[in-house]
Amino acid sequence: MCDQFPKECTRKTKNSIVQVEENGRKFLIKNKSKKQFCVVKIDGCYPISGIKCDYLIYYPEKEICMFIELKGKDLKHAVAQLTATIKALSKSCKSIEAYAVLSATPKINTALQNEIRNLRNQGIRFDSKNGEYCRNF
C-alpha cells in the first residue's frame, strides 16, 4: 500500500519512535521492535478533493491504517475530516483507526457523540486526546 501514495508525500521508517507533529500537537508510535511504517502526509500533499485529515500512518505487516488529525479544539470538524479521508483511502486496510489530537478539551454534544458512535459501529477504533497521543506497537 505504501507504493500507492506519491513519493513526495510518503516516508517509510523503522525508527523506534514514529511521529507526526503540527503546532505543538503530536501523534507518536512507540515502535519497540522497529517494524516498518509508512507515514503519508495527506493534507497539503496527497491529491484528494474535499476535506481530509492531516496524516495516514500505515503498518503494512498487519494492514493497519491509522488516520490522524492534529487539530485546535474543533473535534466535530476533526471527525468530519477523518471520516471523509477514511471513505476515500481505506479500501486496502484490514483494520482502521482514527485519532484526533487537540489543543483543548472540546465540548461534546449529542450529535457529535452520534458521529463518533457511527465510526465505532463501522469497526473503526476512534480516540482523541489533548496535546499528545502515544500508540504502542
Side-chain angles (χ1 to χ4, degrees), residues 5-73:
F5 299 104
K7 289 183 179 169
E8 64 273 12
C9 301
T10 307
R11 68 180 163 90
K12 295 178 184 179
T13 181
K14 291 183 178 182
N15 292 345
S16 59
I17 299 289
V18 178
Q19 177 176 307
V20 293
E21 178 178 9
E22 283 184 11
N23 300 321
R25 288 170 297 284
K26 295 180 191 176
F27 180 89
L28 58 99
I29 294 170
K30 290 186 179 175
N31 184 17
K32 293 179 185 177
S33 53
K34 297 196 176 184
K35 302 287 186 179
Q36 180 172 296
F37 286 85
C38 301
V39 179
V40 183
K41 180 154 179 53
I42 302 295
D43 194 17
C45 192
Y46 189 79
I48 56 173
S49 60
I51 62 172
K52 55 191 134 295
C53 69
D54 293 315
Y55 292 92
L56 164 63
I57 300 178
Y58 180 64
Y59 179 40
E61 185 174 301
K62 299 212 175 189
E63 298 179 13
I64 299 172
C65 292
M66 292 167 273
F67 294 87
I68 295 116
E69 176 59 29
L70 305 169
K71 198 77 181 158
K73 59 183 177 182

Side-chain angles (χ1 to χ4, degrees), residues 33-134:
S33 53
K34 297 196 176 184
K35 302 287 186 179
Q36 180 172 296
F37 286 85
C38 301
V39 179
V40 183
K41 180 154 179 53
I42 302 295
D43 194 17
C45 192
Y46 189 79
I48 56 173
S49 60
I51 62 172
K52 55 191 134 295
C53 69
D54 293 315
Y55 292 92
L56 164 63
I57 300 178
Y58 180 64
Y59 179 40
E61 185 174 301
K62 299 212 175 189
E63 298 179 13
I64 299 172
C65 292
M66 292 167 273
F67 294 87
I68 295 116
E69 176 59 29
L70 305 169
K71 198 77 181 158
K73 59 183 177 182
D74 190 349
L75 182 59
K76 181 179 170 101
H77 189 61
V79 169
Q81 289 173 285
L82 289 161
T83 301
T85 312
I86 288 167
K87 284 180 184 174
L89 299 177
S90 66
K91 292 169 186 66
S92 302
C93 308
K94 279 192 178 173
S95 178
I96 301 169
E97 302 176 6
Y99 299 95
V101 183
L102 308 164
S103 63
T105 303
K107 293 180 180 177
I108 300 177
N109 60 29
T110 303
L112 181 54
Q113 286 176 338
N114 288 336
E115 289 178 45
I116 292 168
R117 188 176 303 115
N118 185 40
L119 281 175
R120 290 180 175 149
N121 286 342
Q122 295 174 54
I124 298 169
R125 175 183 174 175
F126 174 81
D127 204 1
S128 65
K129 197 169 184 181
N130 292 347
E132 181 175 299
Y133 194 102
C134 182

